[in-house]
Amino acid sequence: MRKRALLLILAAMACMGLVGTWSAPAASAHSRLVSSDPDDGASLPAGPQTVTLTFNEGIQSAYAVLNVVGPDDHFWQSGDPRVDGSKVSVGVRELGPTGKYTINYRVTSADGHVVSGQRSFELTVAGNGEPGPLAYASADQSDDGIPVWYFIVGAVVVLVVGLGIVFWLTRPKTRT
Ligand SMILES: [Cu+2]
């Protein structure tokens, strides 16, 4: 049964490799944010019409998340984010209450890693804008990315299915 043992080891290694790829902190070559417009921490008397983040390299155009959450915990961006090369931008509606507006982003690097984070600016003069939807649930998710247990469940499923296939492929032949 050496072949079977070898296959089991290979399957286990493949699974660990997959898990490692999913859960390892993005370390080296992934994209990073180099600047934002408005600047991080800027104090503005009037809201920007758009928020634009610039990365150090082109990012993937799919699955980009970019939103603006006001001091009232409502969304203040308008429309969907647009990716153009190394930039991602989103429109901003006329703002409302003064205070801190948080820019949440999550984009996929050219190398496939997801990078996420926050920037913010301060509105110093209240505007007349109407807020978008309440941001609580969505904002929490975009801050933290995908919960860790997703990866654990995914890894277990891959392991069980992988081992099942290996056991089935290598099952002792029975003659009837
Ligand atoms: Cu990376």
Side-chain angles (χ1 to χ4, degrees):
M1 278 292 151
R2 298 188 62 157
K3 186 181 162 198
R4 182 174 186 176
L6 186 67
L7 278 171
L8 281 175
I9 290 167
L10 285 175
M13 283 169 62
C15 290
M16 285 190 292
L18 277 176
V19 173
T21 306
W22 289 343
S23 60
S28 52
H30 54 271
S31 310
R32 68 200 148 68
L33 185 62
V34 291
S35 67
S36 65
D37 179 18
D39 285 335
D40 190 29
S43 284
L44 306 174
Q49 293 199 320
T50 57
V51 164
T52 303
L53 303 182
T54 304
F55 293 83
N56 65 323
E57 60 181 7
I59 54 174
Q60 296 187 22
S61 54
Y63 310 119
V65 172
L66 180 59
N67 59 49
V68 179
V69 177
D72 59 347
D73 289 321
H74 283 257
F75 285 123
W76 289 88
Q77 81 281 0
S78 71
D80 293 321
R82 294 174 300 277
V83 174
D84 182 14
S86 61
K87 294 175 188 291
V88 58
S89 60
V90 72
V92 178
R93 53 179 81 217
E94 186 183 356
L95 297 184
T98 58
K100 184 181 179 184
Y101 286 75
T102 302
I103 302 163
N104 300 292
Y105 68 89
R106 186 171 73 237
V107 302
T108 307
S109 301
D111 72 355
H113 286 145
V114 171
V115 289
S116 63
Q118 296 182 330
R119 292 294 183 269
S120 68
F121 62 88
E122 193 94 10
L123 184 70
T124 57
V125 178
N128 299 314
E130 294 288 321
L134 193 62
Y136 280 127
S138 320
D140 285 348
Q141 284 190 354
S142 48
D143 289 351
D144 301 338
I146 303 167
V148 172
W149 66 265
Y150 269 51
F151 294 118
I152 295 169
V153 170
V156 169
V157 168
V158 168
L159 194 70
V160 167
V161 171
L163 288 179
I165 290 171
V166 168
F167 274 114
W168 188 80
L169 285 175
T170 60
R171 69 195 183 284
K173 298 283 184 294
T174 51
R175 294 197 180 85
T176 49

